[in-house]
Amino acid sequence: MRIFITGASGWIGSAVSQEVLAAGHEVVGLARNDESFARLQAAGVTPHRGSLDDLDSMREAAVASDGVIHLAFKHDFSDMAGAAVTERATIEMFGDALAGSDRPFLFASGVAGLKTGSVATEDDPVPFSGPDAPRGGAEALALSFVERGIRPVALRFAPTVHGEGDHGFVQVISGVAAEKCVSGYVGDGSNRWPAVNRADAAKMVALALADAPAGSRVHAVGEEGISGFDIATAIGEARGIPTASIAPDDAMAHFGWIGMFFALDTPVSSAKTQQLLGWTPSHAGLIADIESGFYGTR
């Protein structure tokens, strides 16, 4: 099959592209600039010029494909409303381009915010929808495409997709620890943070492309919930700095914007995904990757 992937040169997308290629498919990747164009070519991916702001270009690639994996997103915390508008417009465009074709449409979503304090599963619907919702209500909208003759699949990624080269949430938390000379956790540190190794996540996406049924939600989660205390302790030991509790009321002042996320208790299961796809996460866990020095600790 010829698979069009947005975000194909990104942190998750570059690994997904290799798994899809290894499965015997041709991969066409969205290239928003010369740098991503060159990276895609070097990786054996056919570049397609365009961006999330160029709906016509993405529509052209989608129509010419046998399926779409949409991973790109504008991670601009200064304009999340604008990012949501762009995401909804992109989802709507793919729906129009693929309608009536029975082609797969896999799209990035997340597990953060599904539940707090108890384990979320694939059966839990996203608690928000509509144009004003986070990510423009993309998950609910895209899953409704079942009725339009499309095979939509929600790829719900853990908030931390880790590995060497990751610059996401854990890297930010580690950077705060270096700046403050103390590795902090919120309250008693019992809150749980789900994570997945990038290689495991990419494998799951390739399996979902082949086998996930229309309208399904699959969880790219390798570890159900690692405590904030354990994350902070691993960072502290790797950096050679003390570990300390940060009062919940002081979390934002200490950690900055990421404090609101690091304090959440959001454990997530992937048991049903593993059973559905025959997927078993097998690569290093988050604590092992921190100890390996992947987060500015070596």
Side-chain angles (χ1 to χ4, degrees):
M1 294 195 298
R2 179 184 176 93
I3 305 299
F4 175 50
I5 302 181
T6 71
S9 63
W11 169 243
I12 297 174
S14 57
V16 169
S17 295
Q18 294 307 303
E19 286 288 345
V20 174
L21 285 169
H25 305 300
E26 177 187 358
V27 175
V28 177
L30 186 67
R32 62 180 177 176
N33 53 42
D34 291 342
E35 181 182 353
S36 61
F37 192 98
R39 284 204 304 269
L40 291 172
Q41 278 191 319
V45 174
T46 301
H48 178 84
R49 294 276 187 182
S51 71
L52 291 180
D53 296 315
D54 187 349
L55 296 180
D56 289 339
S57 176
M58 289 191 291
R59 183 182 292 107
E60 175 187 345
V63 169
S65 75
D66 297 304
V68 172
I69 302 176
H70 173 46
L71 301 174
F73 185 76
K74 290 185 175 181
H75 292 283
D76 182 0
F77 288 98
S78 68
D79 185 17
M80 293 304 292
V85 169
T86 298
E87 178 70 351
R88 191 171 184 89
T90 301
I91 295 293
E92 289 173 339
M93 177 276 297
F94 281 132
D96 293 339
L98 300 174
S101 68
D102 291 324
R103 283 176 282 181
F105 175 48
L106 281 60
F107 60 95
S109 186
V111 298
L114 286 178
K115 279 185 177 181
T116 57
S118 60
V119 179
T121 76
E122 295 86 342
D123 293 333
D124 290 310
V126 67
F128 32 75
S129 61
D132 298 327
R135 297 183 74 99
E139 179 174 311
L141 173 63
L143 290 180
S144 74
F145 292 167
V146 172
E147 301 173 359
R148 301 181 65 186
I150 301 171
R151 178 164 67 93
V153 178
L155 305 171
R156 288 176 166 178
F157 291 99
T160 289
V161 181
H162 58 86
E164 187 171 14
D166 174 22
H167 296 289
F169 284 177
V170 174
Q171 178 61 52
V172 174
I173 294 167
S174 180
V176 171
E179 177 187 351
K180 304 284 187 177
C181 295
V182 63
S183 183
Y185 54 89
V186 180
D188 64 2
S190 62
N191 62 297
R192 293 157 291 180
W193 184 271
V196 65
N197 189 288
R198 182 175 74 136
D200 287 324
K203 182 64 176 180
M204 189 218 71
V205 174
L207 291 171
L209 176 66
D211 296 324
S216 57
R217 312 177 187 101
V218 292
H219 284 185
V221 174
E223 294 177 282
E224 184 174 288
I226 308 157
S227 74
F229 177 84
D230 286 345
I231 293 171
T233 298
I235 291 172
E237 290 178 351
R239 286 195 174 275
I241 57 178
T243 303
S245 170
I246 307 301
D249 289 345
D250 297 330
M252 290 292 290
H254 181 86
F255 292 103
W257 62 268
I258 204 169
M260 73 177 76
F261 297 104
F262 194 35
L264 294 176
D265 182 38
T266 57
V268 179
S269 170
S270 64
K272 293 186 177 182
T273 297
Q274 294 185 45
Q275 181 178 19
L276 174 68
L277 301 178
W279 172 63
T280 302
S282 59
H283 292 80
L286 176 59
I287 298 302
D289 274 357
I290 293 172
E291 292 173 345
S292 293
F294 294 165
Y295 292 89
T297 55
R298 66 178 180 188

